[in-house]
Amino acid sequence: MSSGNNNNAARIDTARRVAIFGGTHGNEMSGVTLVNLWMQNSAEIQRKEVDIEPFITNPKAVEKCVRYVDTDLNRAFTQENLSVTGGDELPYEVLRAQEINRMFGPKGTPEAYDVIFDLHNTTSNMGCTLILESSKDAFNLQMMNYIKKAFAPASCLVLLNEHPLLKYSTSRSVAKHPVGLEVGPQPQGVLRSNIFEAMRVILKHALDFIELFNEGRAFNVVPQLMHLAAKL
């Protein structure tokens, strides 16, 4: 698949396996609610020739409505954690990270899922923000541009969280093309309808892009990015 129609266009494989993660932090309710909804009825997220898997990443934290049980799952996907042994003596989120890596990875291999969307809320009044981990991921850059245009006139910022010394240990980093989505403001443990709907619409546009991309649609322009040099 080409991301453009000229001789210098990047060649990018189609995205056939996509996961949508909710509950990485168990008290961020928009992602939890959307994923639970789609696990019960996936008709809304089905796209042609794309396998889409809605998934609750931290069910124990969701059950307790807390951010995490033992340690932050969204910081647990280091190579050390993914390879450490110790069985039940390990923190719950480390064991869960290993399980997720087996299901959707292995991280950094050709067998890993093509795209993972990781859904988050924030108490900050930052609106809708898509979070990327690489300025060289042409597929994600084209998708961000598509989403921003489709979501207009509403605003959806794109945050590039990139640094040469930063080793990504987020849950979404298991995928070839990791995408974070942060929507706020929303208090922890609370579900606001406008925040829920904004996240839902952005995911719709994202999945529409993947379907169009797989069908051979050419995309050329990339969005302006906000740069962040340090880990959130």
Side-chain angles (χ1 to χ4, degrees), residues 168-221:
Y168 300 104
S169 55
T170 59
S171 58
R172 59 187 176 269
S173 68
V174 170
K176 298 182 181 77
H177 306 290
V179 180
L181 174 56
E182 190 109 12
V183 186
Q186 180 171 280
Q188 296 171 351
V190 172
L191 182 67
R192 285 182 169 169
S193 61
N194 61 322
I195 303 298
F196 173 86
E197 284 300 325
M199 183 176 284
R200 189 176 192 170
V201 170
I202 289 172
L203 260 294
K204 173 196 177 299
H205 294 319
L207 297 177
D208 288 346
F209 168 85
I210 292 173
E211 183 176 57
L212 291 169
F213 185 90
N214 289 347
E215 290 175 349
R217 171 88 170 267
F219 299 93
N220 295 302
V221 182

Side-chain angles (χ1 to χ4, degrees), residues 23 26-27 58-69 92-93:
N27 56 4
N58 197 337
K60 285 189 177 181
V62 170
E63 183 180 359
K64 297 175 182 290
C65 197
V66 295
R67 184 177 176 88
Y68 56 80
V69 176
Y92 168 70
E93 277 83 5

Side-chain angles (χ1 to χ4, degrees), residues 69-85:
V69 176
D70 293 323
T71 189
D72 193 335
L73 181 61
N74 213 32
R75 303 291 183 267
F77 288 79
T78 63
Q79 290 302 326
E80 179 182 5
N81 280 345
L82 296 179
S83 60
V84 69
T85 59

Side-chain angles (χ1 to χ4, degrees), residues 64-165:
K64 297 175 182 290
C65 197
V66 295
R67 184 177 176 88
Y68 56 80
V69 176
D70 293 323
T71 189
D72 193 335
L73 181 61
N74 213 32
R75 303 291 183 267
F77 288 79
T78 63
Q79 290 302 326
E80 179 182 5
N81 280 345
L82 296 179
S83 60
V84 69
T85 59
D88 293 340
E89 296 181 0
L90 294 173
Y92 168 70
E93 277 83 5
V94 173
L95 291 172
R96 188 63 175 163
Q98 292 180 352
E99 182 179 3
I100 291 168
N101 189 53
R102 288 192 295 269
M103 294 175 65
F104 298 96
K107 180 177 178 177
T109 70
E111 292 75 29
Y113 261 56
D114 296 306
V115 182
I116 292 176
F117 298 101
D118 191 22
L119 308 183
H120 290 269
N121 291 120
T122 176
T123 58
S124 173
N125 188 16
M126 63 186 291
C128 302
T129 303
L130 291 153
I131 305 171
L132 303 185
E133 299 179 355
S134 173
S135 60
K136 298 179 181 178
D137 188 335
F139 177 89
N140 271 352
L141 293 177
Q142 307 306 332
M143 178 161 56
M144 299 306 101
N145 187 55
Y146 179 90
I147 293 170
K148 285 173 65 68
K149 288 182 176 180
F151 197 58
S155 173
C156 184
L157 300 178
V158 179
L159 177 67
L160 177 60
N161 184 21
E162 183 178 55
H163 189 279
L165 300 180

